[in-house]
Amino acid sequence: EPIARILDAARSELTAAGIPDGSIFRMEAEVQKTIDAIELEALPRTVPRPGAARLLRTLTDKGYRVGLLTRSSEVYCRAALQKTELLPYFGYLRTRSAEGPAKPSPEALLLLLKEMEVPRDRALFVGDHQMDAECAIGARVLFYGLLDEPLVEGGMSLEKFQNAGASAVAHSLDELGEMLGFPRAAAAIPH
C-alpha cells in the first residue's frame, strides 16, 4: 500500500480507538519527518527518465504550461529537479508539503490547475501510479498512464491503467511525445 493510504488507515483506526487528535498529529508529523529523511537519502540515486528533458523542452517551447503534482516533499522535489536539470521546465509545483489536500485528492490537482490558470477540460495529467489515475479521474481531468521502464514488479501495467480509466498509456516519454503530436525527430532537436 502507498504510504498515503497507510496513514489514512492509521488515522482512522487511531480516531476510532479514541486517541486524542494531538497524539495523532504528532504521529503524522514524525512519519513525515522520517519520509523526508528517506527521500533525501535517495537523492543521489535520482535520475531523469530517458527523454524527459527533450519532451519538457518541446512542451515549454510550444507554450504549454507544465506543472508537477507529487507526494514528495517540497525540499526533495526541488532538489531532485535541480539534480536532474529539469527544474527550469516546471513553473508550477504542488507537493505534499503544500497547504491543503495532497495527491491523491482530486482537490490537490484542481488547486494546481487553478494556480496554472488551466481549465480542467484543457489539462492532461500524466502519471505512473494508480494514485495518479485516481486523482485525475476524480478531478475529471484527462489522464495518460506512463509505464515504468522497465516494468516494476507490482507496478502499473497497461491493463491496470486501462482499468483505472486512463485514456492512453505510453511505454516511454518518447512515445508520450508522439501521442501528443510531437514526432521523435522534432522532439530530438537540440537547443
Side-chain angles (χ1 to χ4, degrees):
E1 284 292 313
I3 292 171
R5 300 237 197 282
I6 294 169
L7 283 174
D8 287 344
R11 186 179 309 109
S12 293
E13 287 187 31
L14 292 170
T15 300
I19 303 298
D21 286 344
S23 296
I24 295 171
F25 294 145
R26 281 191 296 281
M27 179 272 306
E28 290 174 333
E30 202 53 40
V31 168
Q32 293 304 324
K33 186 176 166 184
T34 301
I35 294 168
D36 291 350
I38 292 168
E39 286 178 342
L40 291 176
E41 285 175 19
L43 188 59
R45 297 183 306 279
T46 303
V47 296
R49 275 183 176 239
R54 200 170 40 244
L55 179 58
L56 290 166
R57 183 174 39 253
T58 299
L59 290 169
T60 55
D61 285 353
K62 296 208 178 275
Y64 289 87
R65 290 181 213 134
V66 180
L68 180 64
L69 178 62
T70 179
R71 289 287 311 172
S72 296
S73 70
E74 179 91 14
V75 170
Y76 171 77
C77 180
R78 287 191 181 279
L81 290 172
Q82 185 71 39
K83 180 183 183 296
T84 58
E85 300 179 356
L86 299 177
L87 185 59
Y89 299 110
F90 291 96
Y92 306 90
L93 300 174
R94 184 162 182 83
T95 67
R96 75 164 185 269
S97 308
E99 287 200 26
K103 185 174 81 169
S105 169
E107 284 302 311
L109 176 55
L110 294 174
L111 286 169
L112 178 63
L113 291 175
K114 182 177 180 180
E115 179 184 342
M116 294 173 68
E117 298 181 355
V118 174
R120 77 173 93 199
D121 62 337
R122 304 232 349 136
L124 170 65
F125 188 114
V126 177
D128 62 359
H129 196 277
Q130 176 75 31
M131 287 194 327
D132 297 325
E134 292 170 14
C135 181
I137 303 303
R140 297 190 325 270
V141 170
L142 183 64
F143 177 73
Y144 282 13
L146 182 60
L147 295 169
D148 288 319
E149 295 177 348
L151 188 61
V152 174
E153 185 178 336
M156 293 298 285
S157 65
L158 178 65
E159 183 178 331
K160 285 180 183 179
F161 272 129
Q162 289 170 334
N163 290 340
S167 296
V169 180
H171 291 84
S172 68
L173 289 174
D174 285 334
E175 184 179 4
L176 176 63
E178 290 175 351
M179 289 176 172
L180 298 175
F182 308 124
R184 287 183 201 214
I189 297 171
H191 283 71

